[in-house]
Amino acid sequence: MSTVILDGKATAKAIRRELKKEISTLDYTPTLAVILVGKDPASTVYVSSKEKACKWAGLKSINHHLDASTDSETLRNLIIKLNNDPTVDGILLQLPLPSHMDEESLLMEIIPEKDVDGFHPVNQGKVLLGATKGLIPCTPYGIIELLQRYDINPSGKEAVIVGRSSIVGRPIAALLISLNATVTVCHTKTKDLKFHVSRADLLVIAAGRRNIVDSSWIKKDAVVIDVGIHRLDDGTLTGDIEFDQAHALASAITPVPGGIGPMTIAMLLKNTVLAAKLRRSN
Ligand code: NAP
């Protein structure tokens, strides 16, 4: 059986095309406010990709690029202003914030209805309670959407997730439970990572560490989702696992780049359109 490449780039493009069509039928323009504090190079690239994607699909993005020395109160006041602005549908606070700011409390300031990243405890809580629709955190949402578009049903599968962060590991675990997978979540205190990885029908690796999962551990015909992103010294991007050997064993696998990264941006746009529609239906 030849291995299917789960093409996040092409799938994200298809989603953006669908959104563009949908937006053209609306009598308003869904609007995303993007806040970037400082000039972290990776964040600047992410924000510019998100802004470009919005423009392409017909969403409006309003950019608030603040100096790295901005104090927390100024940022808090900006978020409150955007919460109260009826022309704004979604608010994106690009992380990481400068070290003098408390990310958690500032993220919580965004009202759940405009939390298009899906990080607010209300939106995370809904996912934990079984929601698979709504403002779902973008990266896990992108994983689920990619699986669905390739007709990969997690139901009944042994799903193993490496990583338990609040933006990837925990919400993807909750979503996969809702989709009837049997889920194991691994982390730095997991005793035998190889044991868990080698019995996964569906493996999601989101550790942010290269090669902690040896590709040779992968079960034959597993579906492998590599969320990690690393820039090598020569400038190329790579994921958490060594691709070639994983590709030889898997039935389907995401590439890096071109896998979960573009899907995450597409889901941000999808969440913004959903937030715009929900606000107007209430
Ligand atoms: P994070 O907050 O640093 O969490 C990493 C998780 O991996 C933690 O739960 C950690 O366990 C676990 N881990 C680390 N080393 C491990 C080891 N040796 N064995 C087992 N578990 C280990 O990272 P994150 O924000 O979830 O991001 C993970 C990766 O995904 C990063 O490379 C990030 O750049 C990438 N990412 C990509 C996208 C995208 O759009 N493609 C979006 C978000 C993140 P403990 O909890 O025990 O510390």
Side-chain angles (χ1 to χ4, degrees):
M1 192 171 73
S2 66
T3 306
V4 174
I5 300 290
L6 302 171
D7 188 341
K9 194 173 169 191
T11 309
K13 196 170 179 187
I15 294 168
R16 287 201 306 271
R17 217 178 284 124
E18 289 162 17
L19 288 171
K20 187 174 185 159
K21 201 167 161 198
E22 184 181 353
I23 291 166
S24 71
T25 66
L26 302 174
D27 56 8
Y28 54 87
T29 305
T31 299
L32 176 67
V34 180
I35 308 174
L36 172 65
V37 188
K39 289 197 170 94
D40 175 73
S43 295
T44 307
V45 172
Y46 290 142
V47 161
S48 126
S49 309
K50 288 167 185 173
E51 288 167 353
K52 234 188 277 169
C54 279
K55 198 168 171 198
W56 189 91
L59 288 93
K60 184 173 171 189
S61 70
I62 305 172
N63 313 323
H64 295 272
H65 293 185
L66 309 180
D67 195 82
S69 62
T70 303
D71 63 84
S72 297
E73 271 327 286
T74 305
L75 176 54
R76 197 177 301 281
N77 287 334
L78 172 62
I79 295 171
I80 293 168
K81 190 171 141 231
L82 296 170
N83 281 339
N84 293 323
D85 184 340
T87 67
V88 170
D89 297 299
I91 303 171
L92 170 85
L93 180 57
Q94 182 65 42
L95 303 179
L97 294 176
S99 56
H100 65 277
M101 291 180 167
D102 176 3
E103 281 184 0
E104 204 182 317
S105 81
L106 286 158
L107 277 174
M108 287 247 254
E109 207 64 69
I110 300 171
I111 54 171
E113 294 79 2
K114 295 192 181 188
D115 166 42
V116 285
D117 255 336
F119 292 165
H120 193 283
V122 166
N123 290 320
Q124 293 264 19
K126 287 181 182 171
V127 171
L128 192 60
L129 292 174
T132 52
K133 292 192 168 29
L135 298 180
I136 311 279
C138 299
T139 301
Y141 192 10
I143 295 172
I144 298 298
E145 187 81 19
L146 190 61
L147 292 174
Q148 280 172 353
R149 289 186 185 233
Y150 278 87
D151 284 330
I152 296 171
N153 185 351
S155 180
K157 287 193 166 42
E158 285 290 336
V160 174
I161 300 160
V162 184
R164 57 174 167 182
S165 72
S166 59
I167 63 167
V168 189
R170 286 170 198 258
I172 191 63
L175 289 166
L176 288 172
I177 290 170
S178 299
L179 294 170
N180 300 316
T182 303
V183 176
T184 302
V185 179
C186 302
H187 43 77
T188 52
K189 302 293 181 287
T190 297
K191 282 208 174 106
D192 189 347
L193 192 57
K194 181 179 177 183
F195 166 77
H196 294 290
V197 167
S198 60
R199 59 183 185 78
D201 302 317
L202 171 57
L203 176 64
V204 179
I205 308 165
R209 307 276 182 285
R210 290 190 66 218
N211 302 329
I212 56 153
V213 169
D214 190 310
S215 293
S216 68
W217 299 348
I218 290 169
K219 183 176 168 182
K220 181 134 183 44
D221 292 337
V223 173
V224 178
I225 306 290
D226 189 351
V227 182
I229 306 178
H230 307 272
R231 191 171 291 280
L232 302 180
D233 290 344
D234 65 2
T236 53
L237 290 179
T238 185
D240 277 357
I241 51 161
E242 196 281 307
F243 182 82
D244 289 342
Q245 195 172 10
H247 176 268
L249 289 166
S251 61
I253 186 167
T254 54
V256 179
I260 299 305
M263 288 302 292
T264 298
I265 297 181
M267 303 329 276
L268 171 73
L269 305 193
K270 209 170 158 80
N271 273 348
T272 305
V273 174
L274 178 66
K277 290 201 291 195
L278 289 175
R279 277 198 325 117
R280 283 163 182 84
S281 68
N282 288 332

